[in-house]
Amino acid sequence: YVEMQLEDCLAEGRDVDLIVMGRPEGQECYCSANQMLRTFMDRMIGSYPTVVVDNEAGMEHLSRRTTRDIDLLLVVSDASLAGARASRRIAELVGELDLPVKRIAVVVDGAEEMAGPVADILDSDGLRLAGFVPHDPLIVERELAAGSLLDLPDDAPAVRAVEGLLTRELEEETR
């Protein structure tokens, strides 16, 4: 029954399928939901050449080991010092938990550059910058209209930026 419900939550889109994880069962507890997601992911992963897991902000998904054998962990941050420090902490947690992550890179959202001190934090910790996703008014427009970001036009600034950084990351993967 649970697997059927999870399959029912699978939204099929243009070249992308999406599962949205809902709310916890109890106060601040995602244990059961994470276990179901892990089981479902293990079963479904062979059906897709690429699986992208977009987690809520935070680190609990890593510590609960929702996913296994991660080829690329993209840590999304803003261009602030707090964002760079959080990115560093996520990379540290991956090491502390001995998670099977092949590569970690940071994506800076809502900006096209970073101030020196922010870049210095990433550099000093050996975190690689995958790229920037600029502020895109179309994203705000879609969000306010409760529309899907999957329907953004191919020439939208955010779409072009994400496609570019994913192309670079896939090329890096094949090296």
Side-chain angles (χ1 to χ4, degrees), residues 144-159:
L144 291 173
S148 172
L149 296 182
L150 296 175
D151 293 331
L152 285 170
D154 292 339
D155 63 347
V159 171

PDB file of all heavy atoms in Angstrom, residues 144-159:
ATOM      1  N   LEU A 144       4.642  32.774  -7.258  1.00  0.00           N
ATOM      2  CA  LEU A 144       3.463  33.540  -6.853  1.00  0.00           C
ATOM      3  C   LEU A 144       2.190  33.026  -7.511  1.00  0.00           C
ATOM      4  O   LEU A 144       1.111  33.126  -6.947  1.00  0.00           O
ATOM      5  CB  LEU A 144       3.662  35.029  -7.163  1.00  0.00           C
ATOM      6  CG  LEU A 144       4.710  35.739  -6.312  1.00  0.00           C
ATOM      7  CD1 LEU A 144       4.940  37.160  -6.817  1.00  0.00           C
ATOM      8  CD2 LEU A 144       4.321  35.742  -4.843  1.00  0.00           C
ATOM      9  N   ALA A 145       2.331  32.447  -8.700  1.00  0.00           N
ATOM     10  CA  ALA A 145       1.174  31.904  -9.408  1.00  0.00           C
ATOM     11  C   ALA A 145       0.965  30.422  -9.081  1.00  0.00           C
ATOM     12  O   ALA A 145       0.107  29.777  -9.679  1.00  0.00           O
ATOM     13  CB  ALA A 145       1.366  32.078 -10.905  1.00  0.00           C
ATOM     14  N   ALA A 146       1.743  29.898  -8.135  1.00  0.00           N
ATOM     15  CA  ALA A 146       1.697  28.477  -7.753  1.00  0.00           C
ATOM     16  C   ALA A 146       1.922  27.583  -8.975  1.00  0.00           C
ATOM     17  O   ALA A 146       1.356  26.513  -9.088  1.00  0.00           O
ATOM     18  CB  ALA A 146       0.388  28.131  -7.053  1.00  0.00           C
ATOM     19  N   GLY A 147       2.771  28.060  -9.882  1.00  0.00           N
ATOM     20  CA  GLY A 147       3.090  27.288 -11.080  1.00  0.00           C
ATOM     21  C   GLY A 147       4.307  26.422 -10.870  1.00  0.00           C
ATOM     22  O   GLY A 147       5.038  26.554  -9.884  1.00  0.00           O
ATOM     23  N   SER A 148       4.554  25.546 -11.800  1.00  0.00           N
ATOM     24  CA  SER A 148       5.677  24.620 -11.723  1.00  0.00           C
ATOM     25  C   SER A 148       6.928  25.242 -12.321  1.00  0.00           C
ATOM     26  O   SER A 148       6.892  25.819 -13.412  1.00  0.00           O
ATOM     27  CB  SER A 148       5.340  23.331 -12.469  1.00  0.00           C
ATOM     28  OG  SER A 148       6.481  22.515 -12.552  1.00  0.00           O
ATOM     29  N   LEU A 149       8.049  25.075 -11.642  1.00  0.00           N
ATOM     30  CA  LEU A 149       9.323  25.529 -12.189  1.00  0.00           C
ATOM     31  C   LEU A 149       9.738  24.678 -13.380  1.00  0.00           C
ATOM     32  O   LEU A 149      10.561  25.096 -14.197  1.00  0.00           O
ATOM     33  CB  LEU A 149      10.417  25.496 -11.113  1.00  0.00           C
ATOM     34  CG  LEU A 149      10.209  26.432  -9.931  1.00  0.00           C
ATOM     35  CD1 LEU A 149      11.376  26.326  -8.966  1.00  0.00           C
ATOM     36  CD2 LEU A 149      10.019  27.868 -10.375  1.00  0.00           C
ATOM     37  N   LEU A 150       9.166  23.496 -13.502  1.00  0.00           N
ATOM     38  CA  LEU A 150       9.466  22.640 -14.650  1.00  0.00           C
ATOM     39  C   LEU A 150       8.939  23.239 -15.947  1.00  0.00           C
ATOM     40  O   LEU A 150       9.346  22.832 -17.031  1.00  0.00           O
ATOM     41  CB  LEU A 150       8.883  21.238 -14.443  1.00  0.00           C
ATOM     42  CG  LEU A 150       9.464  20.441 -13.282  1.00  0.00           C
ATOM     43  CD1 LEU A 150       8.713  19.133 -13.106  1.00  0.00           C
ATOM     44  CD2 LEU A 150      10.952  20.208 -13.476  1.00  0.00           C
ATOM     45  N   ASP A 151       8.030  24.211 -15.830  1.00  0.00           N
ATOM     46  CA  ASP A 151       7.459  24.850 -17.012  1.00  0.00           C
ATOM     47  C   ASP A 151       8.183  26.139 -17.404  1.00  0.00           C
ATOM     48  O   ASP A 151       7.728  26.851 -18.298  1.00  0.00           O
ATOM     49  CB  ASP A 151       5.976  25.165 -16.778  1.00  0.00           C
ATOM     50  CG  ASP A 151       5.145  23.895 -16.653  1.00  0.00           C
ATOM     51  OD1 ASP A 151       5.518  22.876 -17.257  1.00  0.00           O
ATOM     52  OD2 ASP A 151       4.129  23.929 -15.932  1.00  0.00           O
ATOM     53  N   LEU A 152       9.300  26.438 -16.743  1.00  0.00           N
ATOM     54  CA  LEU A 152      10.060  27.629 -17.128  1.00  0.00           C
ATOM     55  C   LEU A 152      10.566  27.466 -18.558  1.00  0.00           C
ATOM     56  O   LEU A 152      10.923  26.357 -18.972  1.00  0.00           O
ATOM     57  CB  LEU A 152      11.256  27.826 -16.192  1.00  0.00           C
ATOM     58  CG  LEU A 152      10.950  28.349 -14.801  1.00  0.00           C
ATOM     59  CD1 LEU A 152      12.183  28.249 -13.916  1.00  0.00           C
ATOM     60  CD2 LEU A 152      10.458  29.781 -14.853  1.00  0.00           C
ATOM     61  N   PRO A 153      10.621  28.547 -19.316  1.00  0.00           N
ATOM     62  CA  PRO A 153      11.138  28.434 -20.682  1.00  0.00           C
ATOM     63  C   PRO A 153      12.628  28.094 -20.683  1.00  0.00           C
ATOM     64  O   PRO A 153      13.358  28.422 -19.745  1.00  0.00           O
ATOM     65  CB  PRO A 153      10.889  29.828 -21.280  1.00  0.00           C
ATOM     66  CG  PRO A 153      10.712  30.738 -20.126  1.00  0.00           C
ATOM     67  CD  PRO A 153      10.198  29.909 -18.980  1.00  0.00           C
ATOM     68  N   ASP A 154      13.067  27.430 -21.736  1.00  0.00           N
ATOM     69  CA  ASP A 154      14.464  27.010 -21.839  1.00  0.00           C
ATOM     70  C   ASP A 154      15.444  28.175 -21.799  1.00  0.00           C
ATOM     71  O   ASP A 154      16.598  27.993 -21.425  1.00  0.00           O
ATOM     72  CB  ASP A 154      14.687  26.212 -23.130  1.00  0.00           C
ATOM     73  CG  ASP A 154      13.985  24.871 -23.102  1.00  0.00           C
ATOM     74  OD1 ASP A 154      13.662  24.381 -21.990  1.00  0.00           O
ATOM     75  OD2 ASP A 154      13.756  24.302 -24.189  1.00  0.00           O
ATOM     76  N   ASP A 155      14.986  29.376 -22.191  1.00  0.00           N
ATOM     77  CA  ASP A 155      15.891  30.516 -22.220  1.00  0.00           C
ATOM     78  C   ASP A 155      15.852  31.352 -20.934  1.00  0.00           C
ATOM     79  O   ASP A 155      16.489  32.407 -20.862  1.00  0.00           O
ATOM     80  CB  ASP A 155      15.621  31.400 -23.443  1.00  0.00           C
ATOM     81  CG  ASP A 155      14.225  32.019 -23.422  1.00  0.00           C
ATOM     82  OD1 ASP A 155      13.371  31.593 -22.614  1.00  0.00           O
ATOM     83  OD2 ASP A 155      13.990  32.948 -24.231  1.00  0.00           O
ATOM     84  N   ALA A 156      15.140  30.883 -19.907  1.00  0.00           N
ATOM     85  CA  ALA A 156      15.115  31.604 -18.628  1.00  0.00           C
ATOM     86  C   ALA A 156      16.525  31.603 -18.031  1.00  0.00           C
ATOM     87  O   ALA A 156      17.241  30.603 -18.132  1.00  0.00           O
ATOM     88  CB  ALA A 156      14.134  30.943 -17.661  1.00  0.00           C
ATOM     89  N   PRO A 157      16.948  32.711 -17.430  1.00  0.00           N
ATOM     90  CA  PRO A 157      18.305  32.786 -16.883  1.00  0.00           C
ATOM     91  C   PRO A 157      18.640  31.639 -15.913  1.00  0.00           C
ATOM     92  O   PRO A 157      19.731  31.069 -15.991  1.00  0.00           O
ATOM     93  CB  PRO A 157      18.331  34.143 -16.166  1.00  0.00           C
ATOM     94  CG  PRO A 157      17.305  34.955 -16.876  1.00  0.00           C
ATOM     95  CD  PRO A 157      16.230  33.991 -17.281  1.00  0.00           C
ATOM     96  N   ALA A 158      17.726  31.291 -15.040  1.00  0.00           N
ATOM     97  CA  ALA A 158      17.994  30.209 -14.089  1.00  0.00           C
ATOM     98  C   ALA A 158      18.117  28.863 -14.785  1.00  0.00           C
ATOM     99  O   ALA A 158      18.985  28.056 -14.453  1.00  0.00           O
ATOM    100  CB  ALA A 158      16.904  30.154 -13.016  1.00  0.00           C
ATOM    101  N   VAL A 159      17.276  28.624 -15.778  1.00  0.00           N
ATOM    102  CA  VAL A 159      17.330  27.361 -16.525  1.00  0.00           C
ATOM    103  C   VAL A 159      18.657  27.249 -17.259  1.00  0.00           C
ATOM    104  O   VAL A 159      19.326  26.209 -17.216  1.00  0.00           O
ATOM    105  CB  VAL A 159      16.140  27.238 -17.503  1.00  0.00           C
ATOM    106  CG1 VAL A 159      16.304  26.040 -18.429  1.00  0.00           C
ATOM    107  CG2 VAL A 159      14.827  27.148 -16.736  1.00  0.00           C
TER     108      VAL A 159
END
